[in-house]
Amino acid sequence: MLLRFRGPHGTFRLEVQPEDDFFALKPKLLEHLPKNTDPSSITLSNKAAHGQLRRLRDLKGVPISAPGLSHGDILFIGYRQDDQLSNGDVEGAHPPTTAAKLSSSSSAPLNGHPARHADNQRLVPARGPPQEKKSRNPWENVKQSALDDKLDKKDGKISRPRDAKMCRHGLKGMCDYCTPLEPFNPSYLEQKKIKHLSFHSYLRKINSTTNRPESGSSYVPPLGEPFYRVRTDCPAGHPTWPEGICTKCQPSAITLQPQQFRMVDHVEFATPDLINTFLDFWRKSGAQRIGYLYGRYDEYEEVPLGVKAVVEVIYEPPQVDEVDGVTLQDWGDEAKTDAIASLCGLQKVGIIFTDLIDAGSGDGKVVCKRHMDAYFLSSLEIVFAARLQAQHPKPSRWSDTGRFGSDFVTCVVSGDEDGGIGVSAFQVSNSAVEMVRANIIEPSAEPSVMLVQDEDEPDGVSTRPRYIPEVFYRKINEHGANVQENAKPAFPVEYLLVTLTHGFPSQPQPLFRSHDFPVENREATGETQDVHALARALGISRSEVDQDKEIQAISDFRLVGFIHGMGVLGQDEEGLLFQAATQHDLALAFQLLSSPGWATLVAILQESGERPPKRPLSDLSEGRRFPSAVDDRLAKRFKGVSLR
């Protein structure tokens, strides 16, 4: 009779006799298995998942007819290969589960759900130092954020109440009018005016068709990042580009279309004071300003399985500001700022910049430059945002590369249609990021248009020729027909944009409650971060120390960073400083103020900190003469005279 065997590398058939021994099939099985298969690891099972798993060597003496097998039955075979053993597995360990067996010892189950930590553990050889776990599949060892892990565990179903008119069942029943909806339900999104799917809703949508547990197939990552560059690992064997190219390594034609999902759905500023403080520079100088957003990502309940970026700090890096733009300078303290933010539980979540022009009406109104008939984000700003998103990729176990897109956002402060100052939030599409990475597009002088580069035009970076694939986009022409247009030489920038919502909480509870310390890199407007400003913020003078003001002032990100840069506090004392600044605990604050390092800081500030106020004029009752204005001018004139 014939038996079928299905394994990670395909299905094959063997002709056997019912009285044959299972263990006697070993030579025949090895003929159909990879050459580096470990014979002692071969296992057989009657089901793809949750079946009766047996080692082949344990079936010695058991006839094939004993389990009741008949002609045409199928058995599922599992095994380990020698290269997998060299990655940390120990021969003779427990056999892998059937799910892991069918995915080449993959740690991802068949149903596509995240693997448990116990399933990912590998044995380490007893001798030698611990070896790092290696894997052929990049998504197996990805460490996602805690928020992504939390949203992965949710089903995301949208619950609906019982319809009093249409539902005819009891309270515990369910019908088509009250069944929970999927998070990607089009009618619900249209009703709530949600333009884009959230990332995890989009993931549910495509994963439901890619991985089906009932089919018994192995796990396949449902996500894949676009790739528009010539592949250097072409299996055809020809010389690499530009000496050779074929259909396997050259990128396909690109058809641009609006991205139907967004990685972040909402940008929430912890308090309106963040925007007001950021705008103060433009109010004082008339020049534009740019800043990095530090905050955290949280669940956004207004969108099914949504994500929001909560901004707690706007940090302004070194820059040269002008009326019509900003030039970023070298930011030497970027790593230190990121480390301080990490100690406060924050990370870099985006960037914000101003584009404001006074309308000249004298009532505070500004010019509206960004609207539907012009542009919302210029081509230069899109390229800038794409490069930042490429620098901050999002790790994901659902992508074949181990990463997918980016959570980095871009915010613009500009004039609205009413002449007021408004904030807009955007991201650029994954296709835009890859087109910038592949050097396919470049900004143009017209802000609403993006240029497609020419292969023969030098890019100024390398002398190697570039391969520019065909780029198309679809639009509605003057006759109302949906037609495809060639994107060369230019195309509208809205095909690369993804809009986000933004706002402020109804009851602000910011992480940092004080904003008295000067903003960094604002010497142009007379704001300087020094020990005098630190003493003023903490309420420390030569004669007194205001402890209440100290407790309130330490909840300031800029003040905490300046104290950290002074290097006065010890490591434990800095830990207390970060905790007291973010947790607002009086016990931690008093513990910090009573530490030796803080006493040293106070002594330094009293000696070189805030200068004492000028001596007030005495009362007439003291019998002292008030200096006249003439005497004051003479004193100043005499001060400038040299006695030499």
Side-chain angles (χ1 to χ4, degrees):
M1 62 180 181
L2 288 177
L3 287 182
R4 294 177 295 163
F5 295 86
R6 179 175 296 173
H9 291 80
T11 304
F12 58 90
R13 297 179 298 177
L14 290 180
E15 185 175 354
V16 298
Q17 299 297 328
E19 62 275 6
D20 289 346
D21 191 337
F22 270 105
F23 190 74
L25 299 179
K26 181 178 177 180
K28 297 182 179 180
L29 293 175
L30 290 175
E31 293 178 359
H32 296 273
L33 300 181
K35 295 182 179 180
N36 57 349
T37 300
D38 178 23
S40 62
S41 67
I42 299 178
T43 59
L44 296 177
S45 176
N46 60 336
K47 293 182 180 180
H50 308 293
Q52 297 178 2
L53 187 67
R54 296 290 185 271
R55 282 188 178 274
L56 183 62
R57 65 185 182 186
D58 296 337
L59 298 177
K60 190 174 183 179
V62 179
I64 296 177
S65 59
L69 297 175
S70 58
H71 179 73
D73 285 349
I74 184 170
L75 292 176
F76 296 90
I77 184 171
Y79 46 86
R80 295 188 182 185
Q81 298 172 254
D82 291 337
D83 58 345
Q84 295 174 350
L85 291 175
S86 63
N87 285 345
D89 291 331
V90 177
E91 185 177 353
H94 294 289
T97 60
T98 310
K101 169 194 64 178
L102 291 180
S103 58
S104 300
S105 298
S106 169
S107 63
L110 294 175
N111 56 7
H113 293 298
R116 296 174 299 177
H117 178 68
D119 296 334
N120 288 336
Q121 291 180 346
R122 297 290 186 99
L123 297 177
V124 181
R127 297 181 180 179
Q131 299 180 359
E132 182 182 358
K133 182 176 68 174
K134 300 179 181 179
S135 175
R136 297 178 179 177
N137 303 323
W139 63 85
E140 293 182 3
N141 301 327
V142 171
K143 184 179 180 181
Q144 295 187 146
S145 65
L147 177 61
D148 287 332
D149 290 337
K150 177 183 177 182
L151 293 176
D152 284 344
K153 297 176 182 178
K154 291 190 173 184
D155 59 1
K157 296 294 183 66
I158 304 169
S159 60
R160 293 189 294 174
R162 184 174 179 271
D163 194 326
K165 295 182 179 180
M166 305 302 296
C167 295
R168 303 300 181 185
H169 50 76
L171 295 177
K172 296 184 178 180
M174 189 174 293
C175 65
D176 292 341
Y177 298 99
C178 60
T179 303
L181 300 175
E182 294 290 345
F184 47 84
N185 184 270
S187 59
Y188 177 83
L189 298 177
E190 183 178 0
Q191 177 185 357
K192 297 295 182 179
K193 300 186 183 303
I194 300 175
K195 185 177 180 181
H196 298 278
L197 286 172
S198 67
F199 166 68
H200 285 271
S201 297
Y202 174 74
L203 178 60
R204 297 288 197 283
K205 180 179 180 180
I206 62 173
N207 192 48
S208 61
T209 57
T210 305
N211 294 292
R212 296 182 178 180
E214 62 274 7
S215 65
S217 59
S218 59
Y219 170 73
V220 177
L223 299 177
E225 288 191 313
F227 191 84
Y228 302 147
R229 289 161 285 172
V230 178
R231 297 188 178 274
T232 58
D233 55 347
C234 182
H238 59 74
T240 58
W241 169 261
E243 285 75 17
I245 194 171
C246 67
T247 56
K248 295 181 180 180
C249 58
Q250 70 180 19
S252 303
I254 304 171
T255 302
L256 295 175
Q257 53 186 351
Q259 187 169 284
Q260 58 178 312
F261 66 93
R262 54 192 178 190
M263 307 300 296
V264 177
D265 302 280
H266 184 75
V267 180
E268 178 181 288
F269 294 92
T271 171
D273 293 338
L274 291 174
I275 301 298
N276 289 330
T277 303
F278 184 63
L279 288 176
D280 282 342
F281 185 88
W282 174 78
R283 295 188 181 108
K284 295 178 181 179
S285 65
Q288 309 305 325
R289 196 67 171 167
I290 193 170
Y292 282 97
L293 306 177
Y294 282 90
R296 63 185 182 277
Y297 297 103
D298 203 351
E299 189 174 357
Y300 185 52
E301 297 180 354
E302 300 298 326
V303 175
L305 298 177
V307 175
K308 66 178 178 180
V310 182
V311 180
E312 297 285 355
V313 177
I314 299 179
Y315 189 91
E316 302 174 11
Q319 56 194 280
V320 177
D321 305 302
E322 301 176 10
V323 177
D324 59 347
V326 176
T327 302
L328 287 174
Q329 295 181 321
D330 184 26
W331 185 11
D333 294 336
E334 182 176 5
K336 186 184 75 173
T337 306
D338 291 344
I340 295 174
S342 178
L343 292 173
C344 296
L346 306 178
Q347 62 178 335
K348 202 179 291 177
V349 299
I351 200 166
I352 186 172
F353 57 88
T354 61
D355 184 16
L356 298 168
I357 299 177
D358 191 359
S361 57
D363 54 358
K365 291 187 176 181
V366 295
V367 177
C368 177
K369 298 171 54 179
R370 301 167 186 264
H371 50 83
M372 184 183 301
D373 297 329
Y375 63 94
F376 292 104
L377 212 62
S378 69
S379 57
L380 178 62
E381 294 160 354
I382 287 178
V383 172
F384 178 60
R387 289 174 178 169
L388 291 175
Q389 289 183 204
Q391 294 173 8
H392 300 84
K394 177 187 181 70
S396 175
R397 64 165 60 100
W398 304 98
S399 173
D400 55 359
T401 59
R403 60 183 183 273
F404 186 80
S406 173
D407 290 337
F408 202 85
V409 301
T410 300
C411 298
V412 185
V413 183
S414 185
D416 56 20
E417 296 180 355
D418 299 328
I421 297 177
V423 181
S424 303
F426 304 95
Q427 283 190 304
V428 298
S429 64
N430 293 353
S431 296
V433 175
E434 177 58 24
M435 292 177 77
V436 170
R437 187 185 285 117
N439 203 17
I440 296 176
I441 57 177
E442 63 178 347
S444 71
E446 179 65 31
S448 61
V449 171
M450 185 72 73
L451 296 177
V452 179
Q453 299 220 41
D454 192 358
E455 291 183 357
D456 300 330
E457 183 180 356
D459 58 1
V461 179
S462 64
T463 57
R464 293 172 58 88
R466 293 171 296 178
Y467 183 87
I468 306 297
E470 293 291 332
V471 183
F472 302 96
Y473 70 96
R474 305 195 69 87
K475 72 170 188 177
I476 305 297
N477 63 6
E478 61 274 11
H479 304 291
N482 189 351
V483 296
Q484 179 172 286
E485 295 284 342
N486 194 331
K488 292 183 179 180
F491 63 93
V493 296
E494 54 261 25
Y495 287 90
L496 308 177
L497 268 185
V498 179
T499 57
L500 317 180
T501 59
H502 71 279
F504 303 93
S506 56
Q507 296 180 352
Q509 293 181 350
L511 189 65
F512 300 100
R513 300 179 178 179
S514 177
H515 304 281
D516 295 336
F517 196 65
V519 181
E520 62 282 339
N521 302 311
R522 283 197 181 183
E523 290 79 6
T525 58
E527 300 180 48
T528 306
Q529 291 184 346
D530 53 17
V531 291
H532 306 299
L534 179 60
R536 285 194 300 270
L538 294 175
I540 299 175
S541 63
R542 294 181 184 272
S543 58
E544 62 178 354
V545 176
D546 190 346
Q547 194 174 61
D548 294 337
K549 192 173 183 180
E550 280 184 303
I551 296 175
Q552 297 175 2
I554 58 178
S555 183
D556 189 327
F557 181 80
R558 295 180 172 88
L559 184 141
V560 167
F562 186 82
I563 294 177
H564 172 78
M566 293 179 67
V568 178
L569 302 182
Q571 185 175 1
D572 296 338
E573 294 165 337
E574 284 192 350
L576 278 176
L577 176 62
F578 295 135
Q579 293 178 16
T582 56
Q583 299 180 14
H584 316 126
D585 190 345
L586 289 177
L588 293 173
F590 281 114
Q591 186 179 355
L592 172 66
L593 299 185
S594 60
S595 63
W598 190 265
T600 304
L601 176 64
V602 172
I604 293 174
L605 296 180
Q606 285 182 327
E607 289 296 327
S608 58
E610 184 183 10
R611 300 182 180 90
K614 293 183 178 180
R615 184 174 58 187
L617 298 178
S618 304
D619 295 336
L620 291 175
S621 59
E622 296 181 0
R624 300 179 62 183
R625 185 179 67 86
F626 286 95
S628 63
V630 178
D631 294 339
D632 186 63
R633 288 197 300 270
L634 290 174
K636 291 181 178 179
R637 188 178 303 171
F638 182 79
K639 183 179 179 181
V641 175
S642 175
L643 297 178
R644 291 183 295 175

